[in-house]
């Protein structure tokens, strides 16, 4: 975390003092090197096989934290590669000057000068620091700070799209307003749990629950059960908002559609991994003693999330909105594994998050390549309407084939990472009678529904006539090709030979109490 944080600070100084012509190279170098360095540290710590707390007990180093941090760093590195690999300023997903009013003279001037937005890299690094801290937080105050650190840069990044600027800024504002509300809910929940246990430390909250109730003056006035259950409920709102679970999912399709597509991929993969990591830690470390109180609620939320995401995705006409509702449905599938409340459930969730992240980064990287054509033969904005993807299998067979692979993985078709992931979480939940089998039935039904809209895109690409010259497929650069290649290898490898990754996830499934 320190390696990434120091790089973020240096990146801010680069923005202030480095010559404009050199900023892009320096920022990409700083981002990739710092992420790679942090990943090396994570691997080193994982080989030590020691679980402990650090930073005055505020941060925990254990198996789940290291696994999630390693996953986040790998996915972030893939996302940075897709952001950095732009053939020209005109084809960049990011606006030339984010502070310029859309349609203004300043914006036109910045575009004419070919300016490149490099502020995105320090913002990405600051957000990444919060993501690394979020699943490793050992108390609610540190977790809240991590939540804000990871969220605030994302609010800005969502408003930096080069085209459809008003839609992008609307997405940024909506994400900021709803995110601020969810953070307030989280903070109120932390305050109530502090009133119950007299501490924000997760282990202290668990100990207070085991002792039969809080001993603070607040718990005597309000009632121990009232403080505890209200605190858990408010805390859950903040975390379920971040993972995009029903009924807190309304921001997801609008933000995913309006944000620059590389940022969308970064959010969809890394934010989900970090948020579910924090949710796992609270569920398994802080409040397992009252599981019978909160499990029925999460059961209903998981079922609704799977069904709502899968059903509403059917009527979407935009690729990014369809993938947004797909992300909502996958949040429900992951919640199924969380409810298992055993090591098998933890391992299944860790594996699912990694597999889903690789596929998601790759899918959004491909979306950036399908562009509209300008009258002068140039490249325009992204062609995200489904009708524009007709006949893509003939126009660009390699892109259609890879996107088909990713869609089949999202659908959970055998021999892909998606099938292994769903099988793992469903198997963990099926053993948890009496509620587990019922939720698995709902999950299988939602998966069957989801197959329809994934197959619909495949049919459009291969069995419909092309839209002519209105759409073009840009040639990916080396960095994007590398990111997509990693996604393809992971999607196939985790589907055909998942035992090594599953074994690593299962061996990393022990939380430090």
């Amino acid at each position: 975390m320190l390696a990434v944080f120091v790089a973020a600070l240096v990146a801010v100084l680069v923005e202030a003092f480095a010559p404009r012509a050199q900023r892009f190279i320096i920022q990409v170098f700083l981002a990739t090197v710092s992420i790679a360095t942090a990943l090396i540290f994570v691997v080193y710590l994982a080989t030590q096989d020691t679980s402990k707390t650090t930073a005055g007990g505020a941060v925990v180093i254990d198996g789940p934290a290291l696994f999630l941090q390693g996953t986040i760093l790998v996915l972030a590195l893939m996302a940075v590669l897709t952001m950095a690999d732009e053939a020209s300023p005109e084809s960049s997903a990011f606006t030339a000057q984010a502070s310029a009013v859309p349609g203004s003279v300043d914006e036109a001037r910045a575009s004419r000068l070919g300016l490149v937005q490099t502020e995105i890299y320090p913002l990405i690094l600051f957000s990444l620091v919060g993501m690394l801290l979020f699943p490793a937080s050992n108390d609610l105050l540190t977790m809240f700070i991590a939540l804000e650190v990871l969220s605030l840069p994302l609010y800005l990044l969502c408003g930096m799209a080069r085209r459809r600027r008003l839609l992008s800024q609307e997405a940024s504002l909506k994400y900021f307003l709803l995110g601020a509300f969810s953070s307030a809910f989280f903070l109120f929940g932390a305050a109530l749990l502090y009133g119950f246990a007299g501490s924000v430390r997760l282990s202290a909250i668990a100990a207070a629950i085991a002792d039969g109730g809080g001993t603070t003056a607040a718990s005597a006035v309000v009632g121990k059960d009232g403080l505890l259950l209200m605190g858990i409920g408010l805390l859950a709102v903040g975390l379920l908002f971040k993972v995009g679970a029903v009924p807190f999912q309304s921001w997801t399709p609008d933000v995913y559609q309006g944000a620059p597509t590389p940022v969308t991929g970064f959010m969809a993969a890394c934010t989900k991994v970090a948020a579910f990591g924090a949710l796992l830690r609270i569920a398994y470390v802080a409040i397992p003693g009252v599981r019978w109180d909160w499990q029925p609620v999460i059961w209903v939320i998981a079922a609704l999330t799977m069904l709502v995401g899968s059903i509403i995705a059917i009527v979407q006409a935009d690729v990014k909105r369809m993938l947004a509702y797909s992300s909502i449905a996958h949040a429900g599938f992951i919640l199924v594994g969380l409810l298992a409340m055993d090591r098998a459930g933890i391992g299944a969730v860790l594996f699912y998050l990694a597999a889903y992240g690789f596929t998601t980064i790759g899918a959004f990287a491909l979306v950036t390549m399908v562009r509209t054509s300008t009258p002068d033969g140039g490249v325009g904005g992204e062609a995200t309407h489904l009708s524009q993807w007709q006949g893509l299998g003939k126009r660009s067979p390699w892109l259609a084939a890879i996107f088909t692979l990713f869609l089949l993985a999202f659908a959970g078709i055998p021999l892909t990472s998606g099938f292994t992931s769903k099988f793992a979480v469903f198997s963990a939940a099926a053993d948890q009678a009496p509620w587990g089998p019922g939720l698995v039935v709902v999950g299988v039904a939602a998966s069957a529904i989801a197959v329809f809209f994934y197959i619909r895109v495949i049919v459009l690409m291969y069995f419909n006539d092309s839209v002519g010259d209105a759409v073009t497929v840009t040639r990916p650069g080396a960095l994007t090709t590398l990111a997509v290649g990693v996604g393809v290898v992971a999607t196939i490898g985790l589907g055909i030979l998942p035992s090594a990754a599953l074994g690593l996830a299962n061996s990393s499934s022990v939380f430090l109490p």
Side-chain angles (χ1 to χ4, degrees), residues 222-418:
V222 181
K224 57 182 175 57
D225 290 340
L227 281 176
L228 176 62
L229 297 180
M230 285 191 298
I232 293 173
L234 293 175
L235 211 65
V237 171
L239 292 173
L240 292 174
F241 173 88
K242 278 300 172 188
V243 303
V246 173
F248 314 108
Q249 86 294 351
S250 60
W251 64 274
T252 308
D254 294 334
V255 173
Y256 277 33
Q257 183 184 21
T261 302
V263 174
T264 304
F266 177 70
M267 284 195 304
C270 297
T271 303
K272 195 176 293 293
V273 174
F276 266 110
L279 195 58
L280 277 173
R281 188 166 297 277
I282 289 178
Y284 282 78
V285 177
I287 58 173
V290 287
R291 56 190 290 187
W292 300 113
D293 292 306
W294 57 263
Q295 271 188 318
V297 178
I298 300 298
W299 192 102
V300 174
I301 290 175
L304 288 175
T305 302
M306 290 185 290
L307 292 174
V308 169
S310 299
I311 293 173
I312 300 184
I314 295 175
V315 299
Q316 299 306 309
D318 187 273
V319 173
K320 292 174 71 174
R321 292 185 70 89
M322 184 200 73
L323 292 177
Y325 280 104
S326 169
S327 173
I328 293 170
H330 282 284
F333 295 132
I334 299 172
L335 284 174
V336 173
L338 181 144
L339 285 170
M341 293 302 293
D342 58 14
R343 287 193 61 180
I346 299 172
V349 169
L350 296 179
F351 179 86
Y352 200 120
L353 290 170
Y356 173 78
F358 283 114
T359 305
T360 299
I361 294 288
F364 280 106
L366 293 179
V367 172
T368 64
M369 302 178 199
V370 183
R371 302 293 189 96
T372 59
S373 299
T374 59
D376 59 356
V379 177
E382 294 167 358
T384 58
H385 198 278
L386 285 178
S387 63
Q388 297 173 307
W389 286 60
Q390 293 181 178
L392 201 63
K394 301 175 183 177
R395 180 182 296 271
S396 181
W398 69 269
L399 186 144
I402 296 175
F403 199 69
T404 298
L405 171 66
F406 291 148
L407 292 177
L408 294 178
F410 286 139
I413 302 301
L415 300 182
T416 65
S417 59

Side-chain angles (χ1 to χ4, degrees), residues 147-227:
L147 175 63
E148 292 304 291
V149 172
L150 79 88
S151 299
L152 291 174
L154 291 178
Y155 301 152
L156 296 174
L157 288 166
C158 288
M160 291 186 176
R162 188 176 188 89
R163 296 173 175 85
R164 295 193 291 184
R165 296 279 291 123
L166 291 177
L167 181 65
S168 177
Q169 293 188 349
E170 178 190 350
S172 176
L173 183 61
K174 181 176 291 186
Y175 193 21
F176 167 70
L177 292 176
L178 295 179
F181 276 114
S182 70
S183 297
F185 277 109
F186 184 95
L187 193 57
F188 274 116
L192 291 177
L193 289 177
Y194 175 78
F196 168 78
S199 174
V200 292
R201 189 63 54 85
L202 301 185
S203 57
I205 296 171
I209 294 173
D211 290 340
T215 58
T216 64
S219 64
V221 174
V222 181
K224 57 182 175 57
D225 290 340
L227 281 176

